[in-house]
Each structure stands twice: as structure tokens, then as C-alpha cells.
Amino acid sequence: MELSDYKLGMGTWQMAENRSPGPEEHRALSFGIENGLTLIDTAEMYGSGSAEALVGEVIRPVRRDSLYLVSKVYPHNASRKKMKEACHASLRRLGTDTLDLYLLHWRGSVPLEETVSAFEELQREGCIQRWGVSNFDVADMEELWSVPGGDACGANQVLYHIASRGVEYDLLPWLCEHHVPLMAYSPLAHSACYRSAIAASAALREIAAEKKSSVYQVMLAFLVRQENVIAIPKASTAKHVAENLASLSIRLTPEDLRRIDKDFPPPTEKAELDML
Ligand code: NAP
């Protein structure tokens, strides 16, 4: 499957951190895969490799071609010299010989041209199927498009949730126009700074009650109703994974969207890319 065939995946940030993987997290990811959530997002950064190791353990009994594995390289490893080693370490931890998508986690000091050429080499060797970027705003995407091979970018993973809609102003339209899927990270507004706005939203509470769902399910439905957007919530319990899956069947009406816009207005001007 292509990335654009997915609506929802599973994030792994803060899983298996500073300890051996918890059985509940293992069960949550296994449950997700068994129920069709086969896109898994991880990174060499998460738990310094322990999240990738957890994913590796979870997917051991699963047919590799039924999965879509995404990992990310640190900016300081995104050079011709270091990327190969970083990628092989991720592959070893994941127990696979190829990644479906390998992302530059955020922009660092390595020139984009060099990073693209390092991605291309890994692609030629079969270590990765596609490559992409993360935390890139429009200006970064424009710059990427100007380097040789840069327009082969397969995704941009950025923060996007109902209470942080800045990407709707120009980045999301830019990505749609250039057929680059947007992977929405922190789709449940993980950061404490947004949780109070979410808790205070009468629209969210009412819509959730009307749909017999939770506020979090409505937040996911709000994102995945859009073409070109894939949400990757992190859930460490099977209960949360099941709820996230069920959000796929929630349909928001134009009236629901108008009520959401009142509490969480769409952007009217350019804002810096959110990363919180
Ligand atoms: P998130 O998915 O917005 O929120 C995760 C939080 O929501 C956890 O506390 C989780 O609790 C809770 N949750 C999950 N499902 C729920 C449900 N149905 N009802 C209520 N609460 C629920 O946060 P995130 O981890 O920041 O983002 C998701 C993924 O995006 C990450 O795991 C990572 O893979 C990726 N990411 C990428 C970047 C980047 O720079 N590219 C940055 C941040 C994140 P439990 O854990 O208890 O289930």
C-alpha cells in the first residue's frame, strides 16, 4: 500500500522509554495491527532506539508486507557519511530489511542536497522504499523542491490537531498541490498547553455526545476527513487504540464543522509551524 492509502497509523513516541517495553504497550500495538492499523511511526530518537526495538518485537510474528513502517533519522545523522549507519541501526532494532518511509526528523545543519542524495543511496540499496521530511514549513518545502531529486519527497510529518490549525493556511494546500501526504503528529494535542482549550470546548463536547463518542475521537475524525491527511495518534492501551480506530467511522457534517470553527477558528494569517 502507498502512504496515501492510509488514514490512521500508530505513533510510538514515549513508548518503551527508560525501561523494558511494557506488556500493555506491546498489547496495544499488536491489537492495532490485528485490527488493521498497520502503519507504525517511530524514530531512532524515541527512547534512544527502545521504541523501535518494541516495534520490532511486536511485528516479529507479522507478515512484513502487511505493514507500513516509518522511522526517522536525526538531523545530525542526515549526512552521506552517517545516514547509512543510522538507518541500518533502525533496521536492526526493527528486525526488518527495509523501511517503507524514512523521514528527516527536522532540519539541521546538513545541506538538503546531501540529505536527499543519502536518502537516494539507501533507496537504491533497498533499505528504504521512500523518503520524506518532518517539521518542514512551506519555505523549507520550496527549498527542498529546488534541490536535485527533492521533489521525490514522499511525506511531510508536522504537528496538526484541532487546536493547532496553522498548517491549514498554506502548508496543507501546498502539500495537496504537490501531492505530498501530510502526516499529522500529536493529533490528540498531547501537549498540556492545548488540553485546557480542548476541555473548554462546548462544541467538541456536544458533537462527541451526539456521535456517542469521545472528544478525542472527534479530534481524529476532524483530521482524517481530509484528503491527504494521515493521523498517527500514540496510544499505549488497547482500549485507546480501539477508540482511535472507531473514529474512522465518525462523519462530521458541515454544521459540526461550523461549530468546531467557532471554538477553534481556522488560521487567517501565516503562523510559525507549531512543534509543541
Ligand atoms: P498524541 O497522539 O497527540 O497524544 C498521545 C496521548 O493521547 C497519550 O497520552 C495517549 O494516552 C492519549 N490517547 C491516545 N488515544 C486516546 C484516546 N482514544 N482517548 C484519550 N486519550 C488518548 O501525541 P504524540 O505522541 O505527541 O503524537 C503522536 C505520534 O506522532 C508520536 O507518538 C510520534 O510517533 C509522532 N510524533 C512526531 C513528531 C515529529 O517531530 N515528527 C513529534 C511528536 C510526535 P495513552 O498513551 O495512555 O494511550
Side-chain angles (χ1 to χ4, degrees), residues 119-187:
F119 276 139
E120 287 173 344
E121 196 168 329
L122 285 173
Q123 230 173 350
R124 278 193 296 276
E125 291 170 356
C127 300
I128 64 172
Q129 299 304 306
R130 295 289 307 262
W131 63 266
V133 294
S134 177
N135 297 302
F136 270 42
D137 208 340
V138 172
D140 304 304
M141 293 306 297
E142 298 275 13
E143 198 179 322
L144 182 60
W145 248 239
S146 75
V147 312
D151 61 359
C153 171
N156 185 10
Q157 186 176 119
V158 291
L159 184 147
Y160 181 27
H161 56 71
I162 208 162
S164 180
R165 299 177 59 178
V167 299
E168 291 173 22
Y169 185 73
D170 56 353
L171 182 59
L172 181 56
W174 193 98
L175 294 172
C176 289
E177 193 185 321
H178 293 81
H179 309 289
V180 180
L182 183 154
M183 294 181 80
Y185 77 68
S186 301

Side-chain angles (χ1 to χ4, degrees), residues 13 41 134-135 157 186 188 190 232 234 236 240 243-244:
W13 183 37
D41 179 78
S134 177
N135 297 302
Q157 186 176 119
S186 301
L188 299 172
H190 175 213
I232 48 166
K234 171 255 186 182
S236 20
H240 278 167
E243 288 171 8
N244 296 344

